[in-house]
Structure formats: structure tokens, C-alpha cells
Amino acid sequence: MPAARRLPPLVSIEAFEAAARLGSFAGAARELGTSAASVSYHVKQLESRTGLTLFRRLPQRVDLTEAGAALAGDVTAAFDGLRGSFADAADRYQNRLAISALPTFGASWLIPRLGTFSGPQIDLDLSPDPQDLSGPCEVAIRNGNGDWRGIKATRLFPAVFLPLCAPGLQDRIDTLPLLGRADWWALWFDQKGLAPPAPARFGTAFAAEHLDIAAAIAGQGVAIGSPIIFAKEIEAGRLAYADDFVATDGRAFWVCCAASRAASPKVERFRRWVLDESAAAVADVRKRLPNLPA
């Protein structure tokens, strides 16, 4: 780009804009957090760069020259636009919370409860994909042991599972295909003291736990799933316990954020809400399943 078209230093333009708008180098200095001498210096740099005299220096004030007045309107409008853009961006950030949740947790447990997330308006941006909490994603629901470096993790409830089927099929579970993760089934049979299921017992393999549950609701088999995550389907009579013995793999669900974001009001508001919701959900399930692991 030719030198004549290159933008003058932004600090000089900012000094000129503030002085032109306020009619004072001293006023501009107070607004910019600098000295009147610094403002004067940067304005002189701008005048030298453009070849224009922008101000008439008077004993107690400065007045725009004709050239300065012609330039000031466009520069102030441009800065107003920039200030508005930054303010809008800040408002959008303050009113938006980016969340990552595991697909089954998000679809079957979190989304049905979001209507109770009340208070000052926050738009939730929910992603089913794993997200790095050092990036745009601010909160994540994770499954594991809660030990993630640089992450504040608060436990929600244990990872538990038991056989689930359509109501009326409980007496036929020995003849139904098994749906869901083979390792969970192996743990459930082992923790109940039973021999592992034969590979031939397993039915269609689906990509996610909530799809196994959908197949079980449709009568296509007995699924292994969480009585906490699928409590609403059980309460609504679409799903039933095929057996009330609850197994666990020792892990849990956690609400997580980067440690550097833990003090964010919107993050803390969501964290407290999801903790309250999870505590109530576990208490309700424990009424029906007293042996639910803590």
C-alpha cells in the first residue's frame, strides 16, 4: 500500500478525536488517562503526518480549524461506531453462555430442565461436542473422576446404570436383546453376582445411550442406562426398571469450567442452578431406589 494511503498512528487519531470532541487537550488527557502534553504531542504528530493544521492553540482552550472541523465529524463517527461495536460485543458475551454437554446428558437430562433456569436473561449456546474450556466454551458437563488440570470441577451425581425396558416387558427381560454398552452390562452382571451375558444376547448397537433408551421404549430390547438421566421417561411411564439393582463404574458427572472463569457471574449462576437441579433429581430417584450409590 502506498505510504500516502497508510492510516496515521491510532494513538494520534484517538488524541485528536478526544480533543476535538471535548474542545480541550486537558479534557482529552483526563479521558485518555494521560497528560495534556502527551495529547498535544500526538496531535502535532498527526498534523505533521497529514500536513494539516487541526487546532488553533489559545491560552485557555483549543479551537478546531476549518480542516480540523471537517475531519472531526468523520473521525468521531468512526470512533462512535467502534465504541458501539465493542459495547455490543461485551453485552453479547455477558448475556451468552457457551456450554458443552455429552449428547445423552444434554438431550435427556439438561434440555428438559432448562425452562427452570430463571433470572436475568442469558442465552445458552449448547454443544454436544467435547470442547476445550480454554476456548470459547465456558462450561462443560463431563464424565470422569473430576481430576482435570486447570479445571474447577463440581460433582453432580454418580455414573450409575441398571436395566431399563418398556413397561409391561419386565417379565420378559430374559428373552429380550440387550441394548447398550457391553462394558456396563458386564459390570452390572458382575456386581450383582451373575455370570456375564453371552455375546449372542446383544441386539442392535447404537451410537449413544439415549438411542439405546429410545429403542427400549419402543420394545426392541432391554437397555442399560442411568435411572437419574432417564428419570423423566420413567416418571412419565414410558420406561420401567427391568431390575432395581444399580451398578456403577465409579465415575461421576461434573459441571466444569476453567479455573480462570470460576468467578464469572454467569458461570457461577449456571453452576449453582445445575447443582440444585442435580441434587433434587438424585433425591427423587433415591426414593424409588434406596440402594442408589452416593
Side-chain angles (χ1 to χ4, degrees):
M1 181 182 291
R5 299 294 302 277
R6 194 172 298 160
L7 191 69
L10 186 58
V11 66
S12 295
I13 300 174
E14 186 179 33
F16 165 72
E17 190 277 332
R21 177 166 40 83
L22 298 171
S24 165
F25 285 176
R30 285 191 295 271
E31 181 176 290
L32 300 175
T34 186
S35 67
S38 176
V39 171
S40 177
Y41 168 79
H42 287 299
V43 169
K44 286 180 180 178
Q45 290 292 102
L46 185 61
E47 290 176 325
S48 176
R49 182 71 174 266
T50 61
L52 300 172
T53 300
L54 302 174
F55 288 99
R56 288 188 294 273
R57 277 78 170 171
L58 303 172
Q60 300 298 323
R61 69 179 195 277
V62 290
D63 288 341
L64 287 165
T65 62
E66 184 177 349
L71 187 61
D74 288 340
V75 173
T76 295
F79 270 79
D80 283 345
L82 285 172
R83 282 187 281 263
S85 294
F86 279 101
D88 289 346
D91 287 343
R92 286 195 299 271
Y93 175 77
Q94 291 300 325
N95 295 327
R96 173 185 170 276
L97 184 65
I99 304 169
S100 168
L102 300 166
T104 291
F105 187 98
S108 300
W109 193 90
L110 183 59
I111 290 176
R113 290 171 166 80
L114 285 179
T116 67
F117 184 61
S118 60
Q121 181 62 40
I122 293 179
D123 295 325
L124 301 179
D125 183 355
L126 180 61
S127 168
D129 302 317
Q131 300 284 328
D132 182 352
L133 287 171
S134 64
C137 182
E138 298 159 274
V139 177
I141 306 297
R142 292 183 175 179
N143 181 276
N145 60 12
D147 184 18
W148 296 288
R149 181 176 297 179
I151 300 298
K152 178 180 179 179
T154 307
R155 192 175 187 269
L156 296 178
F157 50 76
V160 292
F161 36 86
L162 81 174
L164 298 166
C165 65
L169 297 184
Q170 294 95 323
D171 295 337
R172 294 174 47 199
I173 60 170
D174 290 339
T175 65
L176 294 173
L178 301 182
L179 305 171
R181 291 176 51 168
D183 59 338
W184 286 0
W185 275 114
L187 279 171
W188 186 84
F189 273 84
D190 180 66
Q191 291 176 21
K192 191 170 181 182
L194 301 174
R201 281 212 60 191
F202 287 90
T204 304
F206 296 99
E209 187 184 355
H210 64 280
L211 300 179
D212 299 322
I213 295 298
I217 290 172
Q220 297 173 17
V222 55
I224 190 84
S226 170
I228 300 172
I229 290 178
F230 298 106
K232 289 191 178 296
E233 285 81 357
I234 296 165
E235 292 168 5
R238 297 191 296 272
L239 200 61
Y241 303 141
D243 190 297
D244 64 3
F245 179 79
V246 186
T248 179
D249 62 5
R251 299 188 300 172
F253 289 91
W254 306 76
V255 56
C256 306
C257 68
S260 60
R261 286 172 165 160
S264 166
K266 61 180 178 176
V267 169
E268 178 62 10
R269 180 179 149 204
F270 179 83
R271 189 184 73 86
R272 288 185 178 277
W273 170 80
V274 78
L275 280 171
D276 288 344
E277 287 292 317
S278 65
V282 171
D284 285 344
V285 173
R286 201 175 296 282
K287 292 173 185 176
R288 296 185 293 274
L289 295 170
N291 66 333
L292 187 74

